[in-house]
Amino acid sequence: MSNLRNTPVGSTVTVRKIEGEGATRRRIMDMGITRGAEIYVRKVAPLGDPVEITVRGYELSLRKADAEMILVD
């Protein structure tokens, strides 16, 4: 298992766990990133922040701090 931040561009991965607590975890889950969801990594900005992904049919940009909390296979 690795985190979403380290996933190469063009990969499709499955969410296994969301680390963190409270409002931050709830915000990530409210965006549709839940256990079992498939995520396609579209792009990563030159300095690594943000990461652009496709999840549940829509595009989303995540900060690298949030992407580190998402463990994927």
Side-chain angles (χ1 to χ4, degrees), residues 5 41 43-44 48-53 60-64 67:
R5 181 178 177 212
V41 180
K43 314 182 219 184
V44 177
D49 198 19
V51 177
E52 189 173 311
I53 63 172
L60 180 66
S61 292
L62 290 175
R63 293 178 288 194
K64 58 184 171 181

Side-chain angles (χ1 to χ4, degrees), residues 7-72:
T7 303
V9 174
S11 300
T12 300
V13 294
T14 303
V15 177
R16 292 295 168 218
K17 183 178 180 182
I18 300 172
E19 296 180 329
E21 297 181 2
T24 304
R25 183 177 181 182
R26 172 53 53 195
R27 185 172 49 80
I28 291 171
M29 293 174 70
D30 287 345
M31 288 187 267
I33 302 170
T34 56
R35 191 170 49 158
E38 289 193 357
I39 296 177
Y40 173 71
V41 180
R42 295 177 40 99
K43 314 182 219 184
V44 177
L47 297 176
D49 198 19
V51 177
E52 189 173 311
I53 63 172
T54 300
V55 60
R56 300 187 190 272
Y58 68 95
E59 296 174 8
L60 180 66
S61 292
L62 290 175
R63 293 178 288 194
K64 58 184 171 181
D66 292 341
E68 286 178 347
M69 290 188 221
I70 302 167
L71 300 180
V72 296

